[in-house]
Amino acid sequence: MTDIEIMSGEETRHARALFEQLFAELSAIGLAPNGATTRLAWTVEAAQAADWFDRTSGQLGLRVEVDRNGNRWAWAGNPAVGAITTGSHLDSVREGGRFDGALGVLSGLIAVHLLQRRGDLRAPMAVISFADEEGGRYDTPTFGSRAMLGALDVQAILERRDREGVTLGEALAGAGLDPAAVGPDPERLCQIGAFVELHIEQDTLLTEREAPLALGTQILPHGRWRIDLHGEANHAGTTPLAIRRDPMLTLAVAIEAARRVAGEEGALATIGKLEVSPNATNAIAERVSLWLDVRAEDDAVIGRTVQRITDAVGADADATGIGVEVKRESFTGAVRFSPRLRERVAQVLAAHGIEDVPMGTGAGHDAGALAGAVPTAMLFVRSANGASHSSRELASVEDCVFGIGALAEVLAALSERVDEDG
Ligand SMILES: [Zn+2]
């Protein structure tokens, strides 16, 4: 709870009622009996979420346009170049939560509605629901924003298949898009003068600080490495221990080293995916492939962490006759949000007595993908328990409504500035 009041009592009650009604509607889409939310891109659930977005936008007096990459833009006023924009995404990971992405889209719609209701909308504004932010179906995170930028070569991966064998091209066509037209969209990009994304915190920093809201500083650098360990397949019942070349033992060293080194370096290291061949109960493994995900405050820490883990793996492998191949699959350096925009947003919040709690995040976001091309900022609403990508994801209604009020103030102030700049 917080004592700071951003909106009048009447407006707070209005925003809260609207939030509770619309969030309940949205949360019902893709909800499983166990409480988990699954809304993968270009599926029936994604279409239902898109319908919800279109219908709700219409009810709030906004007009929706869909761009060539499947991003949905709800406009207050006529579409314009250099507009102040907000939003997030409505897709989820498999078995995810109700707040990740959804909170930002809904908060944007309500915040713009509040400004219209106050008669405080000075320039056209858009609420954007970006397509496939999670990449849960085709391993294409921040699809909509990166495709628009030209930072994701969609044409090269149209044949990629999901678990059911449906290609990306088929899925896009099924969602009413023209697969041949998906890609860079500079005209749309020009419509974004600034993008402010509100998101659930996915951490416990704000609970520790007893603050309802944080202002993003950067998205932490992160990378993914694949390590292949080659041993020798053999019979589990007839091969003496002394002559085995078992890559599973080196895997154990990798798992232990990842945890220990990450702790010592102040990084996060995770081995969450494995492939074992032949993957049989009665056979010593021939090959183990593991994926190592590492994130940290800066690139150098990541480099050191990965080096130390692979050194430990290499030393064990040398001693036990295991072959090792390490391949970097991806690396994204730190993404800093626009310092100028951040300062402006911090001023707006300070004017309402809201403390500037800076926060870096280890998760990717559309605001991060766009940061190299347009000024972007992020507001984080306190997580009740830090959980995310899980049915336990939670934020209090009070904190969500507080976030909506803060977002409305930020959008209003930024659009004044657009006015001034002429
Ligand atoms: Zn998200």
Side-chain angles (χ1 to χ4, degrees), residues 223-227 290-292 294 302 306 327-328 331:
R224 189 185 286 181
W225 286 259
R226 174 185 167 138
I227 304 177
L290 60 101
W291 279 261
L292 173 68
V294 182
I302 292 186
V306 173
K327 185 171 168 254
R328 191 178 83 174
F331 184 81

Side-chain angles (χ1 to χ4, degrees), residues 118-157:
R118 284 179 204 168
D120 211 8
L121 197 79
R122 290 149 204 248
M125 248 180 227
V127 182
I128 311 172
S129 173
F130 280 105
D132 190 19
E133 191 275 343
E134 299 285 5
R137 193 169 166 197
Y138 291 101
D139 235 343
T140 47
T142 55
F143 176 99
S145 47
R146 286 193 299 144
M148 176 167 70
L149 288 167
L152 175 68
D153 186 358
V154 184
Q155 294 303 320
I157 54 169

Side-chain angles (χ1 to χ4, degrees), residues 273-303:
K273 181 177 165 180
L274 293 176
E275 265 177 25
V276 178
S277 171
N279 205 22
T281 313
N282 56 359
I284 297 160
E286 167 108 45
R287 177 183 59 83
V288 175
S289 296
L290 60 101
W291 279 261
L292 173 68
D293 176 299
V294 182
R295 302 164 195 237
E297 286 291 330
D298 68 64
D299 301 6
V301 174
I302 292 186

Side-chain angles (χ1 to χ4, degrees), residues 65-68 73 75 79 148 185-192:
E65 292 184 347
V66 185
D67 69 24
R68 61 170 67 195
W73 303 58
W75 282 96
M148 176 167 70
D185 195 346
E187 281 116 59
R188 283 283 170 186
L189 188 57
C190 281
Q191 293 181 332
I192 303 180

Side-chain angles (χ1 to χ4, degrees), residues 64 211 267 314:
V64 176

Side-chain angles (χ1 to χ4, degrees), residues 88-89 91 99-102 133-134 197-200 202 363-366 378 388-389 393:
S88 191
H89 60 96
D91 68 302
F99 292 83
D100 183 343
E133 191 275 343
E134 299 285 5
E197 181 168 0
L198 179 147
H199 204 278
I200 186 166
Q202 306 174 292
H365 297 287
D366 291 305
M378 286 195 78
S388 191
H389 288 186
E393 210 168 66

